[in-house]
Amino acid sequence: ITKKVENADYNIGELNIPHKFTIDSTVPTYAANYKNIIYKITDTMSDGLTLDKTSINVKVGEIMVIKNGVVVNPTYLKDGGFTSESKVVDGANVTYTTFDFNYDELRKDAQLGVDVKIDYLANINENAVAYNPETNTAELHYTTKPDGTDSGIKDETETYTYALDLLKADGSNHDRLLKDAVFEIKNSDGKLVKEVKSDENGKISFTGLAAGTYTIEEIHAPSTEYALLTGPITIDIQEDSKNKGNCIVSIVNIDEEITTNPVVKDGTISFTIYNYKGINLPETGGMGTVLFTVVGTAGILAVLYSFMKSNKKNKLNENK
């Protein structure tokens, strides 16, 4: 039996994006003295993955047995169907899907030795964690002796995902942490992945990013005291080839007055995002708030100087 996800042994998944899982097997051939033959495939999916039952397809040779989650040839399955249910195991919901094939019918229709192909879609959900992979295991149960003794062999895939662990703070007083800042996280297609909000401790935690480019855009400032960031923060995430559960991250055109450099540990990306009181921040990655503040202040001083000089001149004329 062979199990794959997106034609590989592992992949990196984004929250709620479907990925294709496949199982390949072959109908075994037995001698005539083998009775009550078992040929059954069980698929076990961990808590952080969600199965789309309507996407299940099963094909024996050229014959469709299940199409889009609907049994179209019940004779090839025992009791005419298949089962899919979730059970709590060690505090986690595990999904078990079983395809129990009717070997006698397969033999009668000369389907011995043909390929059995199963495919379906599943996606990363809110229960996924960074670094530790979500597993999906296919196990083949098959008869090994004429008396009905059976055994099993397994193959497994791993799906990883990355997490964000952000901190929201005052740009002028880094010890002051800011709550209620709201951000939209979007992928490179512009699709909203998640809307997140800083908590009482200024923290924003989110799991469900894959390799790729994402934007993090503030849509609500922490309070009316603080200016809203006027542009998105763009991060580039790459898979770490030396550690498949980890990643390499950079902030595109980083502005150090708005964000710190990212730190990555065990697939979790951490950095701080700053807001400032009474300052209209430039586009992130621009020339920086200091330059804009200095230029603005210089302009105001120039106007005040001109005003004072003009008043002084008027008074001198009046005294004459």
Side-chain angles (χ1 to χ4, degrees):
I1 190 166
T2 303
K3 185 67 183 284
K4 298 289 183 183
V5 52
E6 302 291 358
N7 297 315
D9 294 326
Y10 78 96
N11 75 322
I12 313 296
E14 180 184 298
L15 184 71
N16 295 329
I17 297 295
H19 296 277
K20 187 175 182 178
F21 292 77
T22 57
I23 302 170
D24 288 285
S25 182
T26 304
V27 179
T29 301
Y30 291 97
N33 63 326
Y34 279 70
K35 306 296 182 182
N36 301 317
I37 293 170
I38 295 171
Y39 177 57
K40 179 170 64 176
I41 294 173
T42 301
D43 185 88
T44 305
M45 186 175 292
S46 63
D47 195 20
L49 291 171
T50 300
L51 169 67
D52 178 2
K53 294 180 183 179
T54 65
S55 70
I56 297 174
N57 296 300
V58 178
K59 196 174 184 180
V60 176
E62 297 301 319
I63 300 173
M64 290 297 300
V65 178
I66 301 174
K67 184 176 182 180
N68 298 330
V70 177
V71 178
V72 293
N73 189 341
T75 60
Y76 282 179
L77 296 170
K78 287 183 179 178
D79 301 321
F82 70 102
T83 60
S84 185
E85 58 183 348
S86 294
K87 296 180 182 179
V88 178
V89 180
D90 297 329
N93 287 313
V94 180
T95 302
Y96 297 94
T97 304
T98 301
F99 308 92
D100 196 355
F101 293 92
N102 189 330
Y103 189 83
D104 291 337
E105 291 296 328
L106 292 171
R107 179 157 53 186
K108 186 172 69 175
D109 286 356
Q111 296 298 322
L112 306 187
V114 303
D115 293 334
V116 174
K117 294 185 176 294
I118 300 172
D119 65 71
Y120 58 81
L121 301 177
N123 56 267
I124 287 283
N125 61 39
E126 301 279 357
N127 296 323
V129 294
Y131 198 69
N132 296 317
E134 299 301 327
T135 59
N136 187 208
T137 305
E139 182 172 9
L140 172 63
H141 307 265
Y142 63 100
T143 297
T144 56
K145 295 181 180 179
D147 64 3
T149 301
D150 69 278
S151 184
I153 53 174
K154 298 180 180 180
D155 196 17
E156 184 177 81
T157 63
E158 297 176 333
T159 296
Y160 295 86
T161 194
Y162 306 130
L164 281 176
D165 191 5
L166 307 179
L167 193 64
K168 190 67 172 167
D170 186 310
S172 302
N173 178 7
H174 294 180
D175 292 329
R176 184 177 184 184
L177 304 179
L178 306 177
K179 66 176 183 177
D180 296 334
V182 181
F183 291 87
E184 287 184 342
I185 302 172
K186 294 181 180 180
N187 61 22
S188 58
D189 295 327
K191 179 183 177 182
L192 179 66
V193 178
K194 185 75 173 179
E195 184 178 292
V196 292
K197 183 179 181 180
S198 59
D199 64 14
E200 295 285 337
N201 300 310
K203 287 182 67 69
I204 298 170
S205 297
F206 166 70
T207 301
L209 298 181
T213 301
Y214 292 87
T215 57
I216 304 170
E217 185 169 8
E218 188 174 58
I219 59 172
H220 190 281
S223 71
T224 54
E225 291 182 274
Y226 291 90
L228 187 72
L229 298 184
T230 58
I233 298 162
T234 303
I235 60 173
D236 179 68
I237 305 174
Q238 297 181 22
E239 181 183 347
D240 186 346
S241 59
K242 297 179 180 179
N243 184 350
K244 63 183 178 182
N246 208 17
C247 58
I248 300 170
V249 180
S250 62
I251 297 178
V252 179
N253 295 326
I254 186 170
D255 186 333
E256 293 180 357
E257 293 183 23
I258 296 175
T259 66
T260 58
N261 280 298
V263 175
V264 183
K265 182 180 179 181
D266 296 340
T268 297
I269 305 156
S270 303
F271 58 90
T272 302
I273 302 175
Y274 298 121
N275 279 81
Y276 293 83
K277 291 183 178 181
I279 296 175
N280 291 320
L281 294 179
E283 293 283 340
T284 52
M287 298 174 67
T289 57
V290 171
L291 177 60
F292 278 79
T293 304
V294 169
V295 171
T297 303
I300 293 171
L301 290 174
V303 171
L304 288 173
Y305 175 78
S306 176
F307 179 76
M308 292 171 66
K309 187 176 181 181
S310 176
N311 279 351
K312 187 176 180 180
K313 185 174 181 181
N314 287 338
K315 286 181 178 179
L316 287 173
N317 290 332
E318 288 174 2
N319 291 334
K320 288 179 180 179

